[in-house]
Amino acid sequence: MLLNTGAYCPPHFGHFDALINAKDFLENNFNYQILSIYLSPAQDVYLKYKAAKQGFQKFILNFKERADMLEWTKEYYEKNAEIIVDRWEGNQPFFIHFPNVWISLQYYLEKTLLEQGATEEIKVGFVVGDDMLQTQIDITYKFLRLERITYELPLIIYGREETKPSALEQRLEKYKSMPLQEMDQKKLYYVLDSEKQNYISSSFVRNLIEED
C-alpha cells in the first residue's frame, strides 16, 4: 500500500502522477506488489494554519470539498491502481500529525487483512515530495523512536522539479545516487520525475488565483 497526506488545496494531477510513478518504480525494481494507494486530506485546522503561514487567503477549500475533488479526479487514474480517498484524518476532532496517520493505517490494514485470511506481509509506504524531505523524515523517525515502534516501513521520496534549496542539495544527491540494493536494505527509496509528467503544484495554482 502507498500513502500520501497533505492539504490538497487544490488537488491536481501531479498528486496522482507522483503516486503512480512511485508504484511503478517499486514494482519494476523491487519485490513489491502495490495493492492500493491511499490519499489522506488533512483537517481544516491544518489548512488554516498553512494558509496563515504561507499567506494565501482567497483559495481555501474545506475538508469535504478537497476530499470530493480527490474522488472525482481519481477516476482518471483507477485503471492504473485502486485509489482510496481516506477521510479518517480529516474527520478527527483534533489535529492528527502525518506519522500517526501512517501508523494508524498500518495497524488497521494489518488487523483487517489478517482477519480476512491474508498470508502475505502488509507494508504501508509513505510517499513524500522532496520539498518536504527535511521536515517529514525528521518528524517521522523522531515519532517512531518516541513511540518505540519497530516497523521497517518504506519511505518513498519523490523528486520534484522545484526543489533546489541549497541546504538540501547534498542530502538529495545522496538519495538520488543510492544503489537500488541499498535503497531496498534501508527501505528508503528515491523516485525521480518521469518524462511524461508535467510538473504542477497546489502552490502554483493558488498563486494564480491569488493574483487574479
Side-chain angles (χ1 to χ4, degrees), residues 17-26 29-30 127-128 130 155-160 175-176 183 188-194:
D17 285 337
L19 291 161
I20 296 299
N21 289 342
K23 171 185 179 295
D24 291 344
F25 177 80
L26 292 170
N29 292 285
F30 306 98
V127 182
V128 56
D130 63 10
L155 182 65
I156 302 96
I157 305 163
Y158 191 78
R160 298 176 64 168
Y175 292 127
K176 290 178 184 179
M183 285 187 183
L188 184 65
Y189 306 93
Y190 192 95
V191 184
L192 292 172
D193 279 315
S194 71

mmCIF file of all heavy atoms in Angstrom, residues 17-26 29-30 127-128 130 155-160 175-176 183 188-194:
data_model
loop_
_atom_site.group_PDB
_atom_site.id
_atom_site.type_symbol
_atom_site.label_atom_id
_atom_site.label_comp_id
_atom_site.label_asym_id
_atom_site.label_seq_id
_atom_site.Cartn_x
_atom_site.Cartn_y
_atom_site.Cartn_z
ATOM 1 N N ASP A 17 0.011 11.625 -10.349
ATOM 2 C CA ASP A 17 1.164 11.196 -11.146
ATOM 3 C C ASP A 17 2.301 10.727 -10.247
ATOM 4 O O ASP A 17 2.954 9.712 -10.517
ATOM 5 C CB ASP A 17 1.665 12.349 -12.024
ATOM 6 C CG ASP A 17 0.760 12.614 -13.214
ATOM 7 O OD1 ASP A 17 0.022 11.698 -13.611
ATOM 8 O OD2 ASP A 17 0.793 13.738 -13.743
ATOM 9 N N ALA A 18 2.560 11.473 -9.172
ATOM 10 C CA ALA A 18 3.647 11.118 -8.259
ATOM 11 C C ALA A 18 3.426 9.739 -7.655
ATOM 12 O O ALA A 18 4.350 8.919 -7.556
ATOM 13 C CB ALA A 18 3.765 12.164 -7.151
ATOM 14 N N LEU A 19 2.209 9.449 -7.263
ATOM 15 C CA LEU A 19 1.909 8.168 -6.624
ATOM 16 C C LEU A 19 1.942 7.012 -7.619
ATOM 17 O O LEU A 19 2.433 5.924 -7.299
ATOM 18 C CB LEU A 19 0.545 8.249 -5.934
ATOM 19 C CG LEU A 19 0.542 9.179 -4.710
ATOM 20 C CD1 LEU A 19 -0.872 9.591 -4.346
ATOM 21 C CD2 LEU A 19 1.223 8.502 -3.528
ATOM 22 N N ILE A 20 1.443 7.237 -8.826
ATOM 23 C CA ILE A 20 1.502 6.188 -9.850
ATOM 24 C C ILE A 20 2.951 5.919 -10.242
ATOM 25 O O ILE A 20 3.371 4.757 -10.419
ATOM 26 C CB ILE A 20 0.668 6.580 -11.086
ATOM 27 C CG1 ILE A 20 -0.816 6.690 -10.718
ATOM 28 C CG2 ILE A 20 0.874 5.573 -12.216
ATOM 29 C CD1 ILE A 20 -1.439 5.402 -10.211
ATOM 30 N N ASN A 21 3.758 6.974 -10.360
ATOM 31 C CA ASN A 21 5.178 6.791 -10.675
ATOM 32 C C ASN A 21 5.905 6.031 -9.564
ATOM 33 O O ASN A 21 6.763 5.186 -9.828
ATOM 34 C CB ASN A 21 5.856 8.148 -10.902
ATOM 35 C CG ASN A 21 5.409 8.803 -12.200
ATOM 36 O OD1 ASN A 21 4.868 8.144 -13.083
ATOM 37 N ND2 ASN A 21 5.629 10.092 -12.309
ATOM 38 N N ALA A 22 5.571 6.343 -8.307
ATOM 39 C CA ALA A 22 6.173 5.628 -7.179
ATOM 40 C C ALA A 22 5.775 4.158 -7.213
ATOM 41 O O ALA A 22 6.606 3.268 -6.970
ATOM 42 C CB ALA A 22 5.746 6.269 -5.861
ATOM 43 N N LYS A 23 4.519 3.888 -7.500
ATOM 44 C CA LYS A 23 4.043 2.496 -7.615
ATOM 45 C C LYS A 23 4.820 1.756 -8.693
ATOM 46 O O LYS A 23 5.322 0.635 -8.473
ATOM 47 C CB LYS A 23 2.548 2.496 -7.941
ATOM 48 C CG LYS A 23 1.971 1.133 -8.303
ATOM 49 C CD LYS A 23 0.517 1.248 -8.716
ATOM 50 C CE LYS A 23 -0.072 -0.101 -9.103
ATOM 51 N NZ LYS A 23 0.549 -0.693 -10.302
ATOM 52 N N ASP A 24 4.945 2.361 -9.881
ATOM 53 C CA ASP A 24 5.650 1.709 -10.984
ATOM 54 C C ASP A 24 7.116 1.460 -10.636
ATOM 55 O O ASP A 24 7.678 0.398 -10.938
ATOM 56 C CB ASP A 24 5.556 2.570 -12.247
ATOM 57 C CG ASP A 24 4.144 2.626 -12.810
ATOM 58 O OD1 ASP A 24 3.315 1.781 -12.419
ATOM 59 O OD2 ASP A 24 3.869 3.526 -13.633
ATOM 60 N N PHE A 25 7.746 2.437 -9.979
ATOM 61 C CA PHE A 25 9.163 2.316 -9.610
ATOM 62 C C PHE A 25 9.372 1.148 -8.645
ATOM 63 O O PHE A 25 10.296 0.337 -8.815
ATOM 64 C CB PHE A 25 9.638 3.629 -8.984
ATOM 65 C CG PHE A 25 11.066 3.593 -8.506
ATOM 66 C CD1 PHE A 25 12.116 3.746 -9.401
ATOM 67 C CD2 PHE A 25 11.359 3.426 -7.165
ATOM 68 C CE1 PHE A 25 13.433 3.725 -8.960
ATOM 69 C CE2 PHE A 25 12.670 3.400 -6.713
ATOM 70 C CZ PHE A 25 13.714 3.554 -7.619
ATOM 71 N N LEU A 26 8.537 1.052 -7.626
ATOM 72 C CA LEU A 26 8.689 -0.016 -6.632
ATOM 73 C C LEU A 26 8.399 -1.384 -7.231
ATOM 74 O O LEU A 26 9.090 -2.362 -6.937
ATOM 75 C CB LEU A 26 7.767 0.251 -5.445
ATOM 76 C CG LEU A 26 8.132 1.464 -4.582
ATOM 77 C CD1 LEU A 26 7.014 1.766 -3.593
ATOM 78 C CD2 LEU A 26 9.437 1.233 -3.839
ATOM 79 N N ASN A 29 11.326 -2.380 -9.841
ATOM 80 C CA ASN A 29 12.695 -2.518 -9.354
ATOM 81 C C ASN A 29 12.840 -3.377 -8.098
ATOM 82 O O ASN A 29 13.949 -3.799 -7.771
ATOM 83 C CB ASN A 29 13.288 -1.129 -9.067
ATOM 84 C CG ASN A 29 13.496 -0.320 -10.328
ATOM 85 O OD1 ASN A 29 14.421 -0.554 -11.094
ATOM 86 N ND2 ASN A 29 12.600 0.650 -10.555
ATOM 87 N N PHE A 30 11.739 -3.624 -7.402
ATOM 88 C CA PHE A 30 11.809 -4.343 -6.137
ATOM 89 C C PHE A 30 10.665 -5.351 -6.063
ATOM 90 O O PHE A 30 9.774 -5.364 -6.900
ATOM 91 C CB PHE A 30 11.740 -3.358 -4.960
ATOM 92 C CG PHE A 30 12.776 -2.272 -5.036
ATOM 93 C CD1 PHE A 30 12.436 -1.022 -5.533
ATOM 94 C CD2 PHE A 30 14.089 -2.505 -4.668
ATOM 95 C CE1 PHE A 30 13.382 -0.016 -5.627
ATOM 96 C CE2 PHE A 30 15.046 -1.508 -4.765
ATOM 97 C CZ PHE A 30 14.693 -0.262 -5.258
ATOM 98 N N VAL A 127 4.682 8.198 0.867
ATOM 99 C CA VAL A 127 5.262 8.937 -0.259
ATOM 100 C C VAL A 127 5.282 10.409 0.090
ATOM 101 O O VAL A 127 4.248 11.004 0.418
ATOM 102 C CB VAL A 127 4.441 8.717 -1.551
ATOM 103 C CG1 VAL A 127 5.090 9.450 -2.721
ATOM 104 C CG2 VAL A 127 4.322 7.224 -1.864
ATOM 105 N N VAL A 128 6.477 11.030 0.005
ATOM 106 C CA VAL A 128 6.627 12.440 0.338
ATOM 107 C C VAL A 128 7.455 13.131 -0.734
ATOM 108 O O VAL A 128 8.432 12.580 -1.237
ATOM 109 C CB VAL A 128 7.296 12.605 1.724
ATOM 110 C CG1 VAL A 128 8.634 11.884 1.778
ATOM 111 C CG2 VAL A 128 7.470 14.064 2.094
ATOM 112 N N ASP A 130 10.214 15.671 -2.205
ATOM 113 C CA ASP A 130 11.495 16.030 -1.585
ATOM 114 C C ASP A 130 11.560 17.495 -1.166
ATOM 115 O O ASP A 130 12.504 17.913 -0.502
ATOM 116 C CB ASP A 130 12.686 15.646 -2.475
ATOM 117 C CG ASP A 130 12.704 16.368 -3.810
ATOM 118 O OD1 ASP A 130 11.923 17.316 -4.009
ATOM 119 O OD2 ASP A 130 13.510 15.970 -4.673
ATOM 120 N N LEU A 155 9.770 4.308 3.060
ATOM 121 C CA LEU A 155 9.591 5.750 2.887
ATOM 122 C C LEU A 155 10.045 6.083 1.470
ATOM 123 O O LEU A 155 11.184 5.796 1.099
ATOM 124 C CB LEU A 155 10.414 6.530 3.912
ATOM 125 C CG LEU A 155 10.272 8.048 3.876
ATOM 126 C CD1 LEU A 155 8.849 8.462 4.240
ATOM 127 C CD2 LEU A 155 11.250 8.697 4.842
ATOM 128 N N ILE A 156 9.147 6.656 0.685
ATOM 129 C CA ILE A 156 9.433 6.932 -0.720
ATOM 130 C C ILE A 156 9.530 8.439 -0.913
ATOM 131 O O ILE A 156 8.561 9.170 -0.676
ATOM 132 C CB ILE A 156 8.334 6.340 -1.643
ATOM 133 C CG1 ILE A 156 8.214 4.819 -1.437
ATOM 134 C CG2 ILE A 156 8.640 6.643 -3.104
ATOM 135 C CD1 ILE A 156 7.132 4.401 -0.486
ATOM 136 N N ILE A 157 10.687 8.922 -1.313
ATOM 137 C CA ILE A 157 10.918 10.343 -1.542
ATOM 138 C C ILE A 157 10.712 10.608 -3.030
ATOM 139 O O ILE A 157 11.343 9.972 -3.866
ATOM 140 C CB ILE A 157 12.343 10.742 -1.130
ATOM 141 C CG1 ILE A 157 12.613 10.331 0.313
ATOM 142 C CG2 ILE A 157 12.567 12.242 -1.325
ATOM 143 C CD1 ILE A 157 14.081 10.304 0.663
ATOM 144 N N TYR A 158 9.843 11.559 -3.324
ATOM 145 C CA TYR A 158 9.522 11.827 -4.723
ATOM 146 C C TYR A 158 10.187 13.115 -5.186
ATOM 147 O O TYR A 158 9.974 14.176 -4.605
ATOM 148 C CB TYR A 158 8.009 11.918 -4.923
ATOM 149 C CG TYR A 158 7.639 11.936 -6.380
ATOM 150 C CD1 TYR A 158 7.628 10.752 -7.110
ATOM 151 C CD2 TYR A 158 7.370 13.126 -7.044
ATOM 152 C CE1 TYR A 158 7.333 10.745 -8.454
ATOM 153 C CE2 TYR A 158 7.068 13.127 -8.387
ATOM 154 C CZ TYR A 158 7.055 11.936 -9.090
ATOM 155 O OH TYR A 158 6.775 11.939 -10.429
ATOM 156 N N GLY A 159 11.020 13.007 -6.226
ATOM 157 C CA GLY A 159 11.749 14.164 -6.746
ATOM 158 C C GLY A 159 10.832 15.157 -7.431
ATOM 159 O O GLY A 159 10.078 14.789 -8.338
ATOM 160 N N ARG A 160 10.881 16.410 -7.014
ATOM 161 C CA ARG A 160 10.056 17.451 -7.621
ATOM 162 C C ARG A 160 10.954 18.506 -8.263
ATOM 163 O O ARG A 160 11.989 18.871 -7.710
ATOM 164 C CB ARG A 160 9.147 18.096 -6.566
ATOM 165 C CG ARG A 160 8.176 17.102 -5.957
ATOM 166 C CD ARG A 160 7.339 17.699 -4.854
ATOM 167 N NE ARG A 160 6.463 18.751 -5.357
ATOM 168 C CZ ARG A 160 5.470 19.273 -4.625
ATOM 169 N NH1 ARG A 160 5.249 18.832 -3.407
ATOM 170 N NH2 ARG A 160 4.705 20.221 -5.118
ATOM 171 N N TYR A 175 20.569 10.593 -1.778
ATOM 172 C CA TYR A 175 19.442 9.707 -2.044
ATOM 173 C C TYR A 175 19.368 9.339 -3.522
ATOM 174 O O TYR A 175 19.098 8.189 -3.875
ATOM 175 C CB TYR A 175 18.129 10.362 -1.604
ATOM 176 C CG TYR A 175 18.003 10.526 -0.116
ATOM 177 C CD1 TYR A 175 17.714 11.759 0.440
ATOM 178 C CD2 TYR A 175 18.189 9.447 0.744
ATOM 179 C CE1 TYR A 175 17.601 11.919 1.821
ATOM 180 C CE2 TYR A 175 18.089 9.599 2.117
ATOM 181 C CZ TYR A 175 17.791 10.838 2.649
ATOM 182 O OH TYR A 175 17.687 10.992 4.007
ATOM 183 N N LYS A 176 19.594 10.324 -4.404
ATOM 184 C CA LYS A 176 19.480 10.091 -5.841
ATOM 185 C C LYS A 176 20.500 9.064 -6.326
ATOM 186 O O LYS A 176 20.225 8.283 -7.230
ATOM 187 C CB LYS A 176 19.678 11.397 -6.604
ATOM 188 C CG LYS A 176 18.557 12.390 -6.444
ATOM 189 C CD LYS A 176 18.885 13.679 -7.202
ATOM 190 C CE LYS A 176 17.832 14.746 -6.980
ATOM 191 N NZ LYS A 176 18.166 16.001 -7.683
ATOM 192 N N MET A 183 18.922 1.033 -1.348
ATOM 193 C CA MET A 183 17.572 1.542 -1.131
ATOM 194 C C MET A 183 16.700 0.480 -0.483
ATOM 195 O O MET A 183 15.972 0.747 0.482
ATOM 196 C CB MET A 183 16.934 1.950 -2.465
ATOM 197 C CG MET A 183 17.426 3.237 -3.073
ATOM 198 S SD MET A 183 16.415 3.644 -4.529
ATOM 199 C CE MET A 183 17.252 5.125 -5.103
ATOM 200 N N LEU A 188 14.260 2.925 1.972
ATOM 201 C CA LEU A 188 14.237 4.356 1.702
ATOM 202 C C LEU A 188 14.490 4.538 0.208
ATOM 203 O O LEU A 188 15.574 4.239 -0.281
ATOM 204 C CB LEU A 188 15.328 5.052 2.522
ATOM 205 C CG LEU A 188 15.399 6.561 2.448
ATOM 206 C CD1 LEU A 188 14.143 7.190 3.037
ATOM 207 C CD2 LEU A 188 16.633 7.063 3.207
ATOM 208 N N TYR A 189 13.489 4.986 -0.505
ATOM 209 C CA TYR A 189 13.538 4.983 -1.961
ATOM 210 C C TYR A 189 13.425 6.406 -2.505
ATOM 211 O O TYR A 189 12.644 7.210 -1.999
ATOM 212 C CB TYR A 189 12.405 4.124 -2.529
ATOM 213 C CG TYR A 189 12.376 2.732 -1.964
ATOM 214 C CD1 TYR A 189 11.599 2.431 -0.851
ATOM 215 C CD2 TYR A 189 13.136 1.718 -2.525
ATOM 216 C CE1 TYR A 189 11.580 1.151 -0.317
ATOM 217 C CE2 TYR A 189 13.122 0.434 -1.996
ATOM 218 C CZ TYR A 189 12.343 0.156 -0.894
ATOM 219 O OH TYR A 189 12.324 -1.113 -0.364
ATOM 220 N N TYR A 190 14.197 6.682 -3.549
ATOM 221 C CA TYR A 190 14.115 7.994 -4.198
ATOM 222 C C TYR A 190 13.601 7.789 -5.621
ATOM 223 O O TYR A 190 14.226 7.097 -6.423
ATOM 224 C CB TYR A 190 15.476 8.681 -4.229
ATOM 225 C CG TYR A 190 15.374 10.142 -4.621
ATOM 226 C CD1 TYR A 190 15.296 11.129 -3.646
ATOM 227 C CD2 TYR A 190 15.295 10.530 -5.952
ATOM 228 C CE1 TYR A 190 15.175 12.466 -3.981
ATOM 229 C CE2 TYR A 190 15.160 11.863 -6.295
ATOM 230 C CZ TYR A 190 15.105 12.823 -5.315
ATOM 231 O OH TYR A 190 14.964 14.137 -5.656
ATOM 232 N N VAL A 191 12.465 8.411 -5.928
ATOM 233 C CA VAL A 191 11.826 8.265 -7.233
ATOM 234 C C VAL A 191 11.951 9.587 -7.982
ATOM 235 O O VAL A 191 11.495 10.624 -7.497
ATOM 236 C CB VAL A 191 10.337 7.901 -7.087
ATOM 237 C CG1 VAL A 191 9.720 7.657 -8.456
ATOM 238 C CG2 VAL A 191 10.173 6.672 -6.198
ATOM 239 N N LEU A 192 12.556 9.560 -9.163
ATOM 240 C CA LEU A 192 12.700 10.767 -9.964
ATOM 241 C C LEU A 192 11.435 11.024 -10.769
ATOM 242 O O LEU A 192 10.672 10.109 -11.074
ATOM 243 C CB LEU A 192 13.896 10.637 -10.918
ATOM 244 C CG LEU A 192 15.271 10.614 -10.250
ATOM 245 C CD1 LEU A 192 16.334 10.276 -11.288
ATOM 246 C CD2 LEU A 192 15.575 11.958 -9.614
ATOM 247 N N ASP A 193 11.223 12.298 -11.126
ATOM 248 C CA ASP A 193 10.116 12.649 -12.017
ATOM 249 C C ASP A 193 10.221 11.841 -13.297
ATOM 250 O O ASP A 193 11.307 11.666 -13.847
ATOM 251 C CB ASP A 193 10.179 14.136 -12.399
ATOM 252 C CG ASP A 193 9.599 15.025 -11.314
ATOM 253 O OD1 ASP A 193 8.538 14.690 -10.797
ATOM 254 O OD2 ASP A 193 10.222 16.053 -10.994
ATOM 255 N N SER A 194 9.095 11.380 -13.790
ATOM 256 C CA SER A 194 9.101 10.700 -15.082
ATOM 257 C C SER A 194 9.020 11.742 -16.197
ATOM 258 O O SER A 194 8.561 12.854 -15.990
ATOM 259 C CB SER A 194 7.913 9.749 -15.191
ATOM 260 O OG SER A 194 6.713 10.469 -15.308
#
